[in-house]
Amino acid sequence: MDPGDEVKMIFDCIKASDSVVKALWHTHAHLDHIGATKELLELATAWNLKKDAPAPQIFLYKDDLWLYQNVGMQAQLIGMKSFEVCQPTDLLTKQSTIVFPDITSFKTPGHTPGSACLKVDAECEFEAPKEYFQSKVRSGKALFTGDTLFRRGVGRTDLWGGSFELLEQSIRKSIYTLPDEYLVIPGHGAFTTIGEEMNKNPFVKEK
């Protein structure tokens, strides 16, 4: 999910779990969420080969492909060095089941035109440093929200293709319709829950 950096740490976790990597999935195509995709894909492909498994699929919503392909422009505008990306293998256009039947992606445009969330409907446990748990919920069904929804915040909409109107609509109609107890794992910062944000998020509260 959103391999933006720290390839060694991510790959060490893969090796420690002794798992096959089936997919690299992006919530959107800003450079801090795609920076490690190419390197991780190469490592994961070689790792999978040892286990007689195919290379991972790369998922991205089609509306963000232009951002993905113009990572050099993104880097230049913020004074960073550019880097190479690899072509996504699956360009999504609508709600889709990803790899497993209990993992579903859906579009939540606003932060970028192709922003999306990943919903995990299996009971899961998530490990993270204590500072990331601001909620009593530490396991259960989860929603990875990328930069659409944060704990007490939302993604900025003043960058390429951003729209606060669309962002608010995505949160109200696609995210806040989920059960309160869903654990929200954003692209940056502390974990939260759907219920907490509906009641306490100062940017998009439940009406």
PDB file of all heavy atoms in Angstrom, residues 10-29:
ATOM      1  N   ILE A  10      10.090  -1.884   4.432  1.00  0.00           N
ATOM      2  CA  ILE A  10       8.940  -2.599   3.879  1.00  0.00           C
ATOM      3  C   ILE A  10       9.334  -4.020   3.484  1.00  0.00           C
ATOM      4  O   ILE A  10       8.645  -4.992   3.816  1.00  0.00           O
ATOM      5  CB  ILE A  10       8.373  -1.851   2.655  1.00  0.00           C
ATOM      6  CG1 ILE A  10       7.849  -0.476   3.057  1.00  0.00           C
ATOM      7  CG2 ILE A  10       7.251  -2.675   1.999  1.00  0.00           C
ATOM      8  CD1 ILE A  10       7.480   0.406   1.880  1.00  0.00           C
ATOM      9  N   PHE A  11      10.476  -4.139   2.796  1.00  0.00           N
ATOM     10  CA  PHE A  11      10.887  -5.454   2.327  1.00  0.00           C
ATOM     11  C   PHE A  11      11.296  -6.358   3.493  1.00  0.00           C
ATOM     12  O   PHE A  11      11.071  -7.574   3.459  1.00  0.00           O
ATOM     13  CB  PHE A  11      12.019  -5.323   1.312  1.00  0.00           C
ATOM     14  CG  PHE A  11      12.301  -6.594   0.565  1.00  0.00           C
ATOM     15  CD1 PHE A  11      11.304  -7.228  -0.157  1.00  0.00           C
ATOM     16  CD2 PHE A  11      13.568  -7.166   0.573  1.00  0.00           C
ATOM     17  CE1 PHE A  11      11.543  -8.407  -0.843  1.00  0.00           C
ATOM     18  CE2 PHE A  11      13.829  -8.337  -0.116  1.00  0.00           C
ATOM     19  CZ  PHE A  11      12.810  -8.964  -0.827  1.00  0.00           C
ATOM     20  N   ASP A  12      11.871  -5.777   4.535  1.00  0.00           N
ATOM     21  CA  ASP A  12      12.198  -6.567   5.735  1.00  0.00           C
ATOM     22  C   ASP A  12      10.933  -7.151   6.350  1.00  0.00           C
ATOM     23  O   ASP A  12      10.929  -8.295   6.829  1.00  0.00           O
ATOM     24  CB  ASP A  12      12.927  -5.700   6.763  1.00  0.00           C
ATOM     25  CG  ASP A  12      14.394  -5.473   6.406  1.00  0.00           C
ATOM     26  OD1 ASP A  12      14.899  -6.162   5.501  1.00  0.00           O
ATOM     27  OD2 ASP A  12      15.023  -4.588   7.034  1.00  0.00           O
ATOM     28  N   CYS A  13       9.848  -6.378   6.354  1.00  0.00           N
ATOM     29  CA  CYS A  13       8.569  -6.875   6.879  1.00  0.00           C
ATOM     30  C   CYS A  13       8.033  -8.017   6.018  1.00  0.00           C
ATOM     31  O   CYS A  13       7.476  -8.996   6.534  1.00  0.00           O
ATOM     32  CB  CYS A  13       7.554  -5.743   6.939  1.00  0.00           C
ATOM     33  SG  CYS A  13       7.886  -4.499   8.199  1.00  0.00           S
ATOM     34  N   ILE A  14       8.190  -7.880   4.706  1.00  0.00           N
ATOM     35  CA  ILE A  14       7.746  -8.937   3.794  1.00  0.00           C
ATOM     36  C   ILE A  14       8.510 -10.223   4.070  1.00  0.00           C
ATOM     37  O   ILE A  14       7.929 -11.306   4.181  1.00  0.00           O
ATOM     38  CB  ILE A  14       7.941  -8.491   2.328  1.00  0.00           C
ATOM     39  CG1 ILE A  14       6.986  -7.345   1.982  1.00  0.00           C
ATOM     40  CG2 ILE A  14       7.722  -9.679   1.372  1.00  0.00           C
ATOM     41  CD1 ILE A  14       7.299  -6.662   0.666  1.00  0.00           C
ATOM     42  N   LYS A  15       9.829 -10.101   4.202  1.00  0.00           N
ATOM     43  CA  LYS A  15      10.649 -11.286   4.456  1.00  0.00           C
ATOM     44  C   LYS A  15      10.336 -11.900   5.817  1.00  0.00           C
ATOM     45  O   LYS A  15      10.287 -13.124   5.955  1.00  0.00           O
ATOM     46  CB  LYS A  15      12.134 -10.911   4.364  1.00  0.00           C
ATOM     47  CG  LYS A  15      12.586 -10.599   2.947  1.00  0.00           C
ATOM     48  CD  LYS A  15      14.091 -10.426   2.855  1.00  0.00           C
ATOM     49  CE  LYS A  15      14.551  -9.174   3.567  1.00  0.00           C
ATOM     50  NZ  LYS A  15      16.013  -8.951   3.378  1.00  0.00           N
ATOM     51  N   ALA A  16      10.106 -11.048   6.809  1.00  0.00           N
ATOM     52  CA  ALA A  16       9.811 -11.552   8.154  1.00  0.00           C
ATOM     53  C   ALA A  16       8.502 -12.333   8.190  1.00  0.00           C
ATOM     54  O   ALA A  16       8.357 -13.310   8.933  1.00  0.00           O
ATOM     55  CB  ALA A  16       9.759 -10.392   9.149  1.00  0.00           C
ATOM     56  N   SER A  17       7.541 -11.908   7.381  1.00  0.00           N
ATOM     57  CA  SER A  17       6.249 -12.600   7.339  1.00  0.00           C
ATOM     58  C   SER A  17       6.269 -13.802   6.409  1.00  0.00           C
ATOM     59  O   SER A  17       5.336 -14.610   6.401  1.00  0.00           O
ATOM     60  CB  SER A  17       5.149 -11.635   6.897  1.00  0.00           C
ATOM     61  OG  SER A  17       5.328 -11.257   5.536  1.00  0.00           O
ATOM     62  N   ASP A  18       7.331 -13.892   5.591  1.00  0.00           N
ATOM     63  CA  ASP A  18       7.496 -14.981   4.620  1.00  0.00           C
ATOM     64  C   ASP A  18       6.299 -15.060   3.671  1.00  0.00           C
ATOM     65  O   ASP A  18       5.822 -16.132   3.314  1.00  0.00           O
ATOM     66  CB  ASP A  18       7.686 -16.320   5.343  1.00  0.00           C
ATOM     67  CG  ASP A  18       8.305 -17.378   4.433  1.00  0.00           C
ATOM     68  OD1 ASP A  18       9.090 -17.010   3.541  1.00  0.00           O
ATOM     69  OD2 ASP A  18       7.983 -18.571   4.608  1.00  0.00           O
ATOM     70  N   SER A  19       5.805 -13.884   3.265  1.00  0.00           N
ATOM     71  CA  SER A  19       4.604 -13.810   2.438  1.00  0.00           C
ATOM     72  C   SER A  19       4.932 -13.544   0.977  1.00  0.00           C
ATOM     73  O   SER A  19       5.950 -12.911   0.649  1.00  0.00           O
ATOM     74  CB  SER A  19       3.689 -12.683   2.939  1.00  0.00           C
ATOM     75  OG  SER A  19       3.317 -12.881   4.279  1.00  0.00           O
ATOM     76  N   VAL A  20       4.059 -13.988   0.100  1.00  0.00           N
ATOM     77  CA  VAL A  20       4.109 -13.602  -1.307  1.00  0.00           C
ATOM     78  C   VAL A  20       3.443 -12.237  -1.445  1.00  0.00           C
ATOM     79  O   VAL A  20       2.415 -11.966  -0.813  1.00  0.00           O
ATOM     80  CB  VAL A  20       3.376 -14.645  -2.180  1.00  0.00           C
ATOM     81  CG1 VAL A  20       3.136 -14.112  -3.583  1.00  0.00           C
ATOM     82  CG2 VAL A  20       4.177 -15.937  -2.233  1.00  0.00           C
ATOM     83  N   VAL A  21       4.029 -11.364  -2.236  1.00  0.00           N
ATOM     84  CA  VAL A  21       3.453 -10.032  -2.458  1.00  0.00           C
ATOM     85  C   VAL A  21       2.546 -10.104  -3.680  1.00  0.00           C
ATOM     86  O   VAL A  21       3.026 -10.284  -4.806  1.00  0.00           O
ATOM     87  CB  VAL A  21       4.554  -8.978  -2.666  1.00  0.00           C
ATOM     88  CG1 VAL A  21       3.925  -7.599  -2.858  1.00  0.00           C
ATOM     89  CG2 VAL A  21       5.522  -8.976  -1.498  1.00  0.00           C
ATOM     90  N   LYS A  22       1.253  -9.961  -3.471  1.00  0.00           N
ATOM     91  CA  LYS A  22       0.315 -10.084  -4.586  1.00  0.00           C
ATOM     92  C   LYS A  22       0.012  -8.757  -5.264  1.00  0.00           C
ATOM     93  O   LYS A  22      -0.320  -8.715  -6.444  1.00  0.00           O
ATOM     94  CB  LYS A  22      -0.989 -10.719  -4.093  1.00  0.00           C
ATOM     95  CG  LYS A  22      -0.822 -12.173  -3.668  1.00  0.00           C
ATOM     96  CD  LYS A  22      -2.154 -12.864  -3.528  1.00  0.00           C
ATOM     97  CE  LYS A  22      -1.978 -14.349  -3.287  1.00  0.00           C
ATOM     98  NZ  LYS A  22      -3.281 -15.059  -3.223  1.00  0.00           N
ATOM     99  N   ALA A  23       0.098  -7.648  -4.517  1.00  0.00           N
ATOM    100  CA  ALA A  23      -0.284  -6.371  -5.108  1.00  0.00           C
ATOM    101  C   ALA A  23       0.409  -5.209  -4.422  1.00  0.00           C
ATOM    102  O   ALA A  23       0.694  -5.254  -3.223  1.00  0.00           O
ATOM    103  CB  ALA A  23      -1.797  -6.193  -5.019  1.00  0.00           C
ATOM    104  N   LEU A  24       0.693  -4.180  -5.198  1.00  0.00           N
ATOM    105  CA  LEU A  24       1.096  -2.873  -4.690  1.00  0.00           C
ATOM    106  C   LEU A  24      -0.039  -1.929  -5.065  1.00  0.00           C
ATOM    107  O   LEU A  24      -0.313  -1.721  -6.250  1.00  0.00           O
ATOM    108  CB  LEU A  24       2.412  -2.408  -5.317  1.00  0.00           C
ATOM    109  CG  LEU A  24       3.622  -3.341  -5.149  1.00  0.00           C
ATOM    110  CD1 LEU A  24       4.841  -2.740  -5.845  1.00  0.00           C
ATOM    111  CD2 LEU A  24       3.919  -3.591  -3.682  1.00  0.00           C
ATOM    112  N   TRP A  25      -0.711  -1.382  -4.080  1.00  0.00           N
ATOM    113  CA  TRP A  25      -1.927  -0.609  -4.335  1.00  0.00           C
ATOM    114  C   TRP A  25      -1.724   0.834  -3.911  1.00  0.00           C
ATOM    115  O   TRP A  25      -1.174   1.110  -2.842  1.00  0.00           O
ATOM    116  CB  TRP A  25      -3.090  -1.230  -3.558  1.00  0.00           C
ATOM    117  CG  TRP A  25      -4.418  -0.651  -3.890  1.00  0.00           C
ATOM    118  CD1 TRP A  25      -5.230  -0.982  -4.930  1.00  0.00           C
ATOM    119  CD2 TRP A  25      -5.101   0.389  -3.173  1.00  0.00           C
ATOM    120  NE1 TRP A  25      -6.372  -0.225  -4.910  1.00  0.00           N
ATOM    121  CE2 TRP A  25      -6.315   0.626  -3.847  1.00  0.00           C
ATOM    122  CE3 TRP A  25      -4.792   1.137  -2.043  1.00  0.00           C
ATOM    123  CZ2 TRP A  25      -7.227   1.580  -3.407  1.00  0.00           C
ATOM    124  CZ3 TRP A  25      -5.700   2.090  -1.604  1.00  0.00           C
ATOM    125  CH2 TRP A  25      -6.905   2.294  -2.284  1.00  0.00           C
ATOM    126  N   HIS A  26      -2.165   1.766  -4.754  1.00  0.00           N
ATOM    127  CA  HIS A  26      -1.963   3.187  -4.482  1.00  0.00           C
ATOM    128  C   HIS A  26      -3.284   3.893  -4.181  1.00  0.00           C
ATOM    129  O   HIS A  26      -4.245   3.752  -4.939  1.00  0.00           O
ATOM    130  CB  HIS A  26      -1.306   3.869  -5.679  1.00  0.00           C
ATOM    131  CG  HIS A  26       0.050   3.340  -6.002  1.00  0.00           C
ATOM    132  ND1 HIS A  26       0.265   2.381  -6.957  1.00  0.00           N
ATOM    133  CD2 HIS A  26       1.267   3.616  -5.466  1.00  0.00           C
ATOM    134  CE1 HIS A  26       1.557   2.094  -7.013  1.00  0.00           C
ATOM    135  NE2 HIS A  26       2.189   2.826  -6.116  1.00  0.00           N
ATOM    136  N   THR A  27      -3.289   4.678  -3.122  1.00  0.00           N
ATOM    137  CA  THR A  27      -4.468   5.495  -2.833  1.00  0.00           C
ATOM    138  C   THR A  27      -4.540   6.692  -3.768  1.00  0.00           C
ATOM    139  O   THR A  27      -5.632   7.190  -4.050  1.00  0.00           O
ATOM    140  CB  THR A  27      -4.449   6.018  -1.386  1.00  0.00           C
ATOM    141  OG1 THR A  27      -3.283   6.850  -1.189  1.00  0.00           O
ATOM    142  CG2 THR A  27      -4.445   4.870  -0.382  1.00  0.00           C
ATOM    143  N   HIS A  28      -3.387   7.160  -4.239  1.00  0.00           N
ATOM    144  CA  HIS A  28      -3.330   8.240  -5.221  1.00  0.00           C
ATOM    145  C   HIS A  28      -1.889   8.337  -5.711  1.00  0.00           C
ATOM    146  O   HIS A  28      -1.026   7.566  -5.265  1.00  0.00           O
ATOM    147  CB  HIS A  28      -3.821   9.569  -4.640  1.00  0.00           C
ATOM    148  CG  HIS A  28      -3.007  10.119  -3.510  1.00  0.00           C
ATOM    149  ND1 HIS A  28      -2.941   9.501  -2.273  1.00  0.00           N
ATOM    150  CD2 HIS A  28      -2.202  11.217  -3.420  1.00  0.00           C
ATOM    151  CE1 HIS A  28      -2.164  10.197  -1.475  1.00  0.00           C
ATOM    152  NE2 HIS A  28      -1.686  11.243  -2.149  1.00  0.00           N
ATOM    153  N   ALA A  29      -1.622   9.277  -6.611  1.00  0.00           N
ATOM    154  CA  ALA A  29      -0.326   9.279  -7.299  1.00  0.00           C
ATOM    155  C   ALA A  29       0.562  10.468  -6.970  1.00  0.00           C
ATOM    156  O   ALA A  29       1.416  10.841  -7.776  1.00  0.00           O
ATOM    157  CB  ALA A  29      -0.542   9.191  -8.811  1.00  0.00           C
TER     158      ALA A  29
END
